Amino acid sequence: MNRMLFSFGVMIATFSNAVAAEHPNIVVILVDDMGYGDPGCFNPNSKIPTPHIDSLARDGMRFTDAHAPGPLCHMSRYGLLTGRYPFRTNVNLWRSQPLIEEGQMTIASFAKAHGYRTAMVGKWHVGFNEDGYDKPLPGGPVDRGFDSYFGIRASTDIPPYFYIRDNKAVAPPTDHIEANVSEGWSPIQGAFWRAGGIAPNLALADVLPRFTNEAVQVIEKHAASAAAKSDPLMLYLAYPAPHTPWLPDEEFAGKSGAGMYGDFLMMVDAQIGRVLATLRKAGMEDDTLVIFTSDNGPVWYETDVERFGHDSCGGLRGMKADAWEAGHRMPFVARWPKQVKAGTTSKQLVSFTDLLATFADLLDVKLPPDAGPDSFSFLPALTGKQSKANALRTQIAMQPGSAKMMTFRSGDWKLITGLGSGGFSKPNRVKSEAGDPQGQLYNLASDLGETTNLCAEHPEIVARLTAELKKIVDDGRSRVAIARVDNSSLNGKVMVGYQGWINCEGDGAKFLTYDGVASDHYLKLVGYAGRMLRNEVPLRSWSAGLPALAKTTIAP
């Protein structure tokens, strides 16, 4: 005899014995200082051919509202690796100590703990414990979750210049290189690098292809290993380009419509093409989630737009380091064959801090309470599957290059807590006169170019966003986890309300999953509940429909 107890007007909670998600290989490709308007898949008027980046968008999903967690290299990388906003630590200490604390979870340490082989190639830029380059360099990638590392400590315009293998210099920077600039460009554009130490026989022009060679070797070695089928690969490939110095090979010189910068970005795209081809040749393409993005915006001035007719920022205001959109809104593409629908676009708000929670959601693993405090899973936007970890992101908090202001996004509204760009664009800071707004407020839904400051017109929105930002800063976290229940004892039951249960002889049979699968006893009821779980059925419809649904679903 079936028993039915209903509590109307309350939300249904459902539990499932979901099958564990397949563990794909994961390749994260992060380029450096590329603008939202550079790749053709984000800007059809781009003067820079990017066929390999475009192929990822063709075969995967573009995210048009994705953001670096800070508009500078070290900020962005810290947030991507840890799932924590970089304003929560002193990122300026990277030159002398690790920004990522010992024991702090990273995307690499998380993946490694769940059976992944983890490798990093490229630009680290979040610090080592430095005590001479003839000694080990602790606190770097291999101490923060990566099984192997080959790369450089920072940018290829910041000395000293030397390669690092795991935690040791391949050759210490015992030679010296003079500074360089390029005629016809600003002091921080072109083939610009600073004077300083350099390892013998290291050529800055060789760094980009060398990193591709290393990444190719990582993939090929993994594919050939006996453990490849049981232990998937996570590769974090952090190219230090098209950041300065712009050093395109002769093959690409003069081939773009955007000068040295465009030529160098064409070379970057070709290197990405080599990596994608290696995945294909290794038989790993179909089982690999590839995520591509850039760490922050470009160094590209209005005079460059006028000179070349190429807008590296894609119509967004500002540039690298700025609080304005061009500083941190990045081209972001994800490709995962048969899992992510090809040729699609998502407007979901995303931060690089979200990689950690997304990977955890993908593996059906709950993050520890202290891990990824600002990480939200965007798996539902990526695959259409309900997240078990958190609601989708609706807010972003960040600090621009200037430590004297903050940027906060909530829905369509964006607040900047000061006047000026807060970064490289001039003016960096503007002193507010009496009676003038103290900050900037934009509605990005109608004004993506941030042309009209609405602070004076909407003081109530300024007050609300200011309070929301303060709470996120003060709380030390922005993500609130969804409670998870051990459903091993709940087979054959659907909870309705806080105390109501429907039981039947099907106890122990297959229980509701996020795909709406259920035992035959519950077929119609569960189908309805499953649709409500995916927000397809309003709560009021669910409540009103319960009596009739019960009559047609469960026999007395």
Side-chain angles (χ1 to χ4, degrees), residues 101-412:
E101 298 178 5
E102 186 174 359
Q104 185 175 358
M105 182 175 284
T106 66
I107 58 172
S109 64
F110 168 80
K112 186 175 181 178
H114 293 89
Y116 276 75
R117 300 285 184 93
T118 56
M120 179 183 171
V121 175
K123 173 178 170 178
W124 179 237
H125 211 160
V126 286
F128 296 87
N129 278 316
E130 298 188 4
D131 185 26
Y133 300 119
D134 57 342
K135 301 176 182 178
L137 294 165
V142 295
D143 294 320
R144 298 298 184 264
F146 291 100
D147 293 317
S148 66
Y149 172 63
F150 182 87
I152 53 177
R153 65 190 285 274
S155 304
T156 41
D157 64 4
I158 300 177
Y161 309 107
F162 62 100
Y163 291 126
I164 302 166
R165 174 79 67 187
D166 294 334
N167 67 347
K168 295 180 180 179
V170 173
T174 54
D175 286 354
H176 181 81
I177 188 172
E178 296 297 331
N180 192 70
V181 294
S182 292
E183 185 177 353
W185 296 93
S186 79
I188 57 171
Q189 291 178 298
F192 158 71
W193 63 77
R194 298 171 178 86
I198 189 170
N201 301 317
L202 190 152
L204 296 178
D206 294 341
V207 173
L208 177 59
R210 175 66 186 274
F211 285 166
T212 302
N213 292 342
E214 291 283 337
V216 166
Q217 290 174 20
V218 167
I219 295 168
E220 291 177 341
K221 182 179 179 181
H222 180 79
S225 69
K229 292 183 178 180
S230 60
D231 300 337
L233 172 68
M234 171 184 278
L235 170 62
Y236 170 43
L237 175 55
Y239 282 125
H243 192 292
T244 50
W246 301 341
L247 301 171
D249 282 351
E250 185 177 350
E251 175 186 355
F252 303 98
K255 297 297 178 60
S256 79
M260 293 174 66
Y261 172 76
D263 299 346
F264 195 37
L265 181 51
M266 284 183 65
M267 181 176 172
V268 173
D269 181 78
Q271 301 301 309
I272 292 170
R274 288 182 57 201
V275 173
L276 299 180
T278 303
L279 288 172
R280 184 166 54 253
K281 292 175 183 176
M284 294 170 58
E285 182 178 59
D286 287 347
D287 300 322
T288 299
L289 168 61
V290 177
I291 293 177
F292 165 83
T293 191
S294 174
D295 66 343
N296 48 248
V299 179
W300 197 253
Y301 300 93
E302 285 298 323
T303 53
D304 300 320
V305 177
E306 295 170 3
R307 178 162 54 147
F308 296 104
H310 172 75
D311 186 357
S312 185
C313 299
L316 303 177
R317 185 181 185 185
M319 59 188 290
K320 177 178 178 176
D322 289 356
W324 295 324
E325 288 294 287
H328 50 84
R329 186 184 287 243
M330 294 292 98
F332 191 102
V333 183
R335 185 192 75 181
W336 186 11
K338 301 178 183 178
Q339 301 294 328
V340 175
K341 189 175 180 180
T344 52
T345 299
S346 174
K347 296 180 180 180
Q348 173 58 44
L349 184 63
V350 170
S351 168
F352 296 179
T353 58
D354 297 339
L355 292 187
L356 180 57
T358 301
F359 296 159
D361 206 10
L362 179 64
L363 304 187
D364 195 22
V365 174
K366 183 180 179 181
L367 289 175
D370 60 343
D374 302 302
S375 190
F376 290 73
S377 172
F378 59 87
L379 189 66
L382 191 64
T383 66
K385 296 179 180 179
Q386 179 74 29
S387 172
K388 300 179 185 180
N390 55 256
L392 289 168
R393 174 183 289 280
T394 60
Q395 299 176 327
I396 286 181
M398 76 174 67
Q399 191 175 70
S402 170
K404 296 182 179 180
M405 66 170 66
M406 291 287 289
T407 301
F408 182 63
R409 170 83 176 275
S410 183
D412 292 331

